[in-house]
Amino acid sequence: MSRTALRICPLCEATCGLTLTVEGSRITAARGDRDDVFSKGFICPKGASFGAVDGDPDRLTGPLVRKDGVLREATWEEAFDAVAAGIRSVVERYGPHSVGIVLGNPNVHTMAGALYPPVLIGALGTHSLFTASTVDQMPKHVSSGLLFGDANAIPVPDLDRTDHLLLIGANPLESNGSLCTAPDFPGRLKALKARGGTLTVIDPRRTRTAKLADRHIAVRPGTDALLLAAMAAVLFEEDLVGTGELTPHLEGLAELRTAIGDFTPEAVADACDVDADTIRTLARELAAAPTAAVYGRIGSCTVAHGTLASWLVDVLNILTGNLDRPGGALFPQAATDRTPRPAGPGHGFRLARWHSRVSQYPEAKGELPISALAEEIDTPTERGEPVRALIAIAANPVLSTPDGDRLDKALDALDFMVSVDPYLNETSRHATVVLPPPPPSQSPHHDFAFNTLAVRNQVRYTRAAVPLEPGRMAETEILARLVLAASGMHGADPAAVDQLVIDQTLGKAVKEPHSPVHGRDPRELQDRLSGDTGPERRLDMMLRLGPYGDGFGARPDGLSLDQLLAHPHGIDLGPLRPRLPQPLKTRSGKVELLPEPIADDLPRLREALKRRPDGLVLVGRRHLRSNNSWMHNVPALTGGSNRCTLHIHPDDAERLGVRDGAAVRLKGAGGEVTAPAEVTEAVRPGVVSLPHGWGHDRPGTRLSHARKEPGANVNQLLDGSLLDPLSGNAVLNGFPVQLTPVT
Ligand SMILES: Nc1nc2c(c(=O)[nH]1)N[C@H]1C(S)=C(S)[C@@H](COP(=O)(O)OP(=O)(O)OC[C@H]3O[C@@H](n4cnc5c(=O)[nH]c(N)nc54)[C@H](O)[C@@H]3O)O[C@H]1N2
Ligand SMILES: Nc1nc2c(c(=O)[nH]1)N[C@H]1C(S)=C(S)[C@@H](COP(=O)(O)OP(=O)(O)OC[C@H]3O[C@@H](n4cnc5c(=O)[nH]c(N)nc54)[C@H](O)[C@@H]3O)O[C@H]1N2
Ligand code: SF4
Ligand SMILES: [Mo]
């Protein structure tokens, strides 16, 4: 007997609604939910393989605890006893900063990852926080923090209404989009073209997205900040600046003009390898379009000038009057956002409130660069204690971050490590305790993170499609128990963690004059919360306090958990709307166009005008049927074109004596790897491309399929020292490599 169940797909940022076919506890099919208010039936090959991902026999079914050097099956009780003992002894002896926390990408794809890590960080009080953000979008957070006063205020291109999209370093036809949640991104790009709009793509590779574009600029990797600065300079020089309704909310326009005036198209053309006329055309087209949006992603972030490039993306949106207007780039308003406070000056955004112990890297958004994780463990200094215990949640930094070989050794030297991970993989194999979450079919889902980045305001919640199997523990409970174990409250009821958050949140809300519950009794509000579990009650609370919420009765038609449960395909909250100046939290209460840290970084960009790579540089790429490091164990998603090959242009291949299919050796600052060459014009001359997340040949893992075709770990080519200094983000694109054919 089979039945169907709805489940929001957690496998990429598009958040498609799926209809799962369930037989017993197995998912035997997945199709797009045609009634989903946002995804309207769209599904990609990864979503279609939900059942295979969910049912992978290599997933761990219960906790593992290391005894006599060997990871063995254990009870949950034994596992949490070991976690409490391991972490508390390090905290008590060496202080909180000696406990590191590593948060990986899937935390933005689970409810547990949104609800508990902030509590864990607060409870431990550690400065040793490392996340996937510093191999990803930290430059965007920093530029948003500096421009708007809020690191999480990220404008999203209005894909469905724009007339002109300038897309930089993103390949949504493979990635399905990022920092821009849009189910069926490819279809939305085609619709843009069908309504007469134009698409320009800037990418050193001729990607599937670039092929769809009206114009493709194969820029030299790492030089986007120069190109964008030149576009801004043209807007000023040719009198094309039109800030329109934004004008009263802006500060520093004249200073901006002076600061970037010398980055003319003629000055940057050679460095970018894009001729000056083309750069002028790009700027004029942007200014002339009725509406336009500039959007930058991985290729504009994970580079040496990532923060400047991210800043310039928004500067261009602002100078052309496209920020915060329909068809431009707008700030979404999610249902679980906090009650919007009245517009006015805020606390601003500060960088470098503390520094890493070894290389003295400044923190950004409370985080240290994940590239510095290994040295924070393996290098003693007189400035304090190294990291001796590690809590890794949904993270595989051995493959995802620079120099996994060094990190391998560092992790082995820890006093204690716990991994919350469904797999025994390259990272979790080092753990003292592994706590496996259930497969996604057994977890409820709501997108706390991605709704704040979605091209349409909407809200959806799906309960677990399948009940928890015996012996399983919900990931929310695992993380709640982890919070208790790490903070000296081991053994307390995990519901206490949710209760604490509810008490704090309601206690604060009733004191805020702008809150819909101002002046009410928190206990009365608490009694009104609905939901079967702590996480559901927290979701209910956030919805009801949020911008569309029922305010606990103050706005009877407003949102609540009960409303969501009554609308299993979601509730549409309308297109993105202009919101300025409300989201601004800068000290001036304005958009600060030329913040000091940015101005101070411009000389470094000027230096880059002079530099040209001596030899080849490497960029990454993504494949539709893959996701970072953890989906290579699913047979349905591997093989075919999803292989770890080195793309190289025919001219370079000929010059270096590289044959298609033959092995080549790559050497970088962090080490060497070998991969088969794929000679293709999809990559520009002077640039080679290798995907990330491969290198599944380490011992001690349980990844029976992935190890058959392990691929090479591109991040071994990096030594972790190349960073964007403002954000601490790793340079993963446009770094030098040497290549030799393997004979
Ligand atoms: N060279 C290069 N390196 C890159 C990139 C690049 O473009 N080039 N991209 C970077 C980017 S953008 C990112 S986001 C990072 C990603 O790097 P990581 O944050 O390390 O994420 P993943 O590689 O996806 O590994 C995710 C881990 O979470 C586990 N997992 C899967 N589902 C769940 C779940 O439901 N719960 C829990 N607790 N765990 C789960 C998986 O088994 C795996 O161990 O990689 C970065 N690394
Ligand atoms: N199928 C699949 N989907 C995914 C993922 C995945 O691994 N596989 N990962 C998810 C994650 S965690 C993220 S963060 C997103 C990322 O989403 P995207 O940013 O769309 O990721 P990519 O496909 O890597 O596209 C980055 C593009 O930047 C180009 N590039 C490299 N260097 C430069 C440069 O210097 N300048 C310019 N202009 N371009 C450059 C690369 O050639 C590449 O085409 O994808 C998410 N979705
Ligand atoms: S596009 Fe992303 S969210 Fe949609 S089905 Fe594919 S993997 Fe899932
Ligand atoms: Mo990412």
Side-chain angles (χ1 to χ4, degrees):
M1 264 285 282
S2 75
R3 60 184 177 93
T4 61
L6 300 175
R7 195 349 167 151
I8 302 164
C9 180
L11 304 181
C12 87
E13 298 185 31
T15 72
C16 303
L18 304 182
T19 306
L20 306 178
T21 305
V22 186
E23 282 174 36
S25 62
R26 281 192 328 125
I27 308 303
T28 52
R31 54 194 163 78
D33 171 17
R34 245 175 283 152
D35 299 319
D36 184 285
V37 293
F38 194 24
S39 63
K40 304 201 162 115
F42 180 77
I43 190 170
C44 86
K46 256 191 326 219
S49 299
F50 182 99
V53 174
D54 194 75
D56 184 346
D58 278 343
R59 278 180 184 266
L60 301 173
T61 54
L64 304 176
V65 175
R66 196 172 294 275
K67 284 185 199 117
D68 309 319
V70 185
L71 279 171
R72 298 173 205 277
E73 288 176 18
T75 65
W76 289 102
E77 202 183 324
E78 288 165 331
F80 283 106
D81 286 348
V83 172
I87 295 175
R88 290 315 296 170
S89 65
V90 169
V91 174
E92 277 149 29
R93 255 187 94 185
Y94 306 105
H97 307 315
S98 57
V99 180
I101 300 178
V102 178
L103 303 176
N105 170 271
N107 282 301
V108 283
H109 295 279
T110 65
M111 287 181 75
L115 294 175
Y116 299 90
V119 191
L120 178 68
I121 295 161
L124 267 176
T126 176
H127 283 173
S128 305
L129 173 64
F130 310 85
T131 85
S133 292
T134 51
V135 275
D136 189 346
Q137 82 289 358
M138 189 57 90
K140 195 71 206 173
H141 288 304
V142 171
S143 78
S144 279
L146 295 171
L147 275 166
F148 310 124
D150 179 354
N152 288 318
I154 296 179
V156 167
D158 194 2
L159 279 190
D160 298 339
R161 291 182 290 182
T162 194
D163 297 293
H164 180 74
L165 182 66
L166 176 61
L167 200 145
I168 303 152
N171 186 13
L173 263 74
E174 306 280 358
S175 71
N176 282 312
S178 180
L179 299 188
C180 175
T181 284
D184 195 13
F185 206 128
R188 291 174 202 257
L189 291 182
K190 286 169 196 152
L192 159 73
K193 296 191 63 176
R195 66 177 177 267
T198 47
L199 172 67
T200 299
V201 171
I202 303 184
D203 196 309
R205 299 189 305 117
R206 191 153 180 79
T207 60
R208 283 174 58 211
T209 309
K211 284 184 191 146
L212 198 69
D214 300 283
R215 189 192 292 279
H216 169 216
I217 313 281
V219 71
R220 195 196 306 278
T223 64
D224 298 88
L226 289 170
L227 180 82
L228 300 177
M231 288 176 64
V234 171
L235 295 177
F236 281 117
E237 184 197 315
E238 300 190 2
D239 225 359
L240 298 172
V241 172
T243 51
E245 289 176 29
L246 291 171
T247 315
H249 308 303
L250 302 179
E251 188 187 271
L253 195 62
E255 292 84 351
L256 172 68
R257 177 181 192 141
T258 311
I260 58 161
D262 57 327
F263 292 100
T264 60
E266 291 70 23
V268 308
D270 228 40
C272 301
D273 201 11
V274 180
D275 63 71
D277 283 345
T278 304
I279 300 175
R280 284 185 187 278
T281 306
L282 290 175
R284 289 173 192 148
E285 282 178 354
L286 191 68
T291 63
V294 186
Y295 161 70
R297 210 47 283 278
I298 282 290
S300 70
C301 280
T302 55
V303 287
H305 302 281
T307 302
L308 290 186
S310 299
W311 165 70
L312 285 159
V313 163
D314 286 327
V315 162
L316 288 171
N317 283 324
I318 292 164
L319 295 181
T320 51
N322 281 303
L323 182 76
D324 201 44
R325 80 165 174 202
L330 298 103
F331 300 98
Q333 178 90 77
T336 54
D337 282 347
R338 292 180 51 193
T339 320
R341 58 169 197 114
H347 295 299
F349 173 76
R350 279 173 59 210
L351 285 165
R353 291 167 298 171
W354 57 85
H355 290 80
S356 72
R357 189 179 50 84
V358 181
S359 293
Q360 295 285 293
Y361 294 126
E363 64 78 36
K365 207 172 165 262
E367 301 184 21
L368 298 174
I370 200 164
S371 301
L373 175 60
E375 68 176 28
E376 288 297 299
I377 300 170
D378 71 17
T379 310
T381 64
E382 283 172 2
R383 275 188 293 267
E385 290 298 327
V387 167
R388 295 177 188 266
L390 199 67
I391 302 173
I393 306 176
N396 193 6
V398 169
L399 294 189
S400 304
T401 73
D403 198 354
D405 288 352
R406 178 173 176 185
L407 193 54
D408 259 335
K409 293 197 193 86
L411 296 180
D412 264 343
L414 288 165
D415 291 358
F416 178 81
M417 172 174 168
V418 53
S419 273
V420 181
D421 206 289
Y423 285 104
L424 192 59
N425 66 11
E426 296 76 13
T427 297
S428 61
R429 75 195 171 110
H430 295 285
T432 327
V433 178
V434 185
L435 304 171
S441 64
Q442 295 175 34
S443 305
H445 196 72
H446 168 76
D447 282 295
F448 288 100
F450 297 123
N451 286 349
T452 70
L453 297 162
V455 297
R456 200 170 166 93
N457 293 320
Q458 41 68 45
V459 57
R460 294 164 293 157
Y461 173 63
T462 48
R463 278 185 163 160
V466 174
L468 275 182
E469 283 173 309
R472 289 283 190 186
M473 186 181 282
E475 186 161 13
T476 45
E477 185 178 336
I478 293 174
L479 295 193
R481 286 185 186 275
L482 184 56
V483 170
L484 295 170
S487 57
M489 291 166 66
H490 176 46
D493 182 353
V497 177
D498 299 310
Q499 193 54 49
L500 184 87
V501 175
I502 289 170
D503 286 344
Q504 281 176 351
T505 311
L506 292 177
K508 233 176 114 189
V510 295
K511 293 201 193 98
E512 288 173 336
H514 62 271
S515 168
V517 295
H518 180 235
R520 288 173 67 178
D521 174 5
R523 274 163 312 182
E524 173 245 334
L525 301 178
Q526 208 194 107
D527 289 343
R528 286 164 164 256
L529 284 177
S530 78
D532 289 352
T533 60
E536 280 198 346
R537 284 158 59 81
R538 287 175 66 185
L539 174 60
D540 188 43
M541 173 181 70
M542 291 168 80
L543 290 167
R544 298 174 81 171
L545 291 177
Y548 313 88
D550 82 344
F552 288 83
R555 297 181 297 232
D557 309 336
L559 288 180
S560 62
L561 178 68
D562 290 341
Q563 280 265 17
L564 278 196
L565 291 172
H567 294 87
H569 306 283
I571 298 174
D572 182 45
L573 301 168
L576 303 187
R577 278 181 281 271
R579 289 183 55 203
L580 286 180
Q582 191 276 329
L584 301 176
K585 293 184 188 160
T586 49
R587 284 172 175 270
S588 61
K590 310 239 175 192
V591 177
E592 296 181 358
L593 275 169
L594 186 66
E596 209 172 282
I598 295 276
D600 292 348
D601 200 27
L602 285 172
R604 195 173 59 91
L605 186 62
R606 219 158 266 130
E607 282 295 302
L609 279 172
K610 294 176 224 150
R611 273 198 303 273
R612 305 284 177 279
D614 301 330
L616 292 172
V617 296
L618 186 141
V619 301
R621 69 175 191 273
R622 282 173 160 76
H623 190 280
L624 182 59
R625 286 183 303 133
S626 197
N627 191 39
N628 300 325
S629 75
W630 71 278
M631 264 175 227
H632 299 137
N633 203 51
V634 180
L637 295 176
T638 48
S641 56
N642 185 11
R643 289 176 57 237
C644 184
T645 59
L646 183 86
H647 283 185
I648 180 168
H649 189 273
D651 294 353
D652 291 320
E654 193 180 312
R655 185 168 49 83
L656 295 162
V658 171
R659 279 183 306 104
D660 189 55
V664 291
R665 185 170 298 121
L666 287 163
K667 196 163 176 275
E672 292 187 9
V673 300
T674 303
E678 193 174 333
V679 180
T680 166
E681 287 182 345
V683 67
R684 57 162 272 166
V687 179
V688 290
S689 169
L690 195 65
H692 71 284
W694 296 88
H696 305 290
D697 49 3
R698 286 161 154 82
T701 64
R702 190 185 301 170
L703 299 167
S704 45
H705 182 70
R707 73 163 45 257
K708 286 186 210 150
E709 224 178 304
N713 176 13
V714 65
N715 286 321
Q716 199 51 53
L717 298 168
L718 290 159
D719 65 2
S721 66
L722 287 181
L723 303 180
D724 167 39
L726 278 179
S727 63
N729 208 90
V731 175
L732 304 173
N733 280 291
F735 62 87
V737 289
Q738 288 111 50
L739 183 157
T740 41
V742 176
T743 42

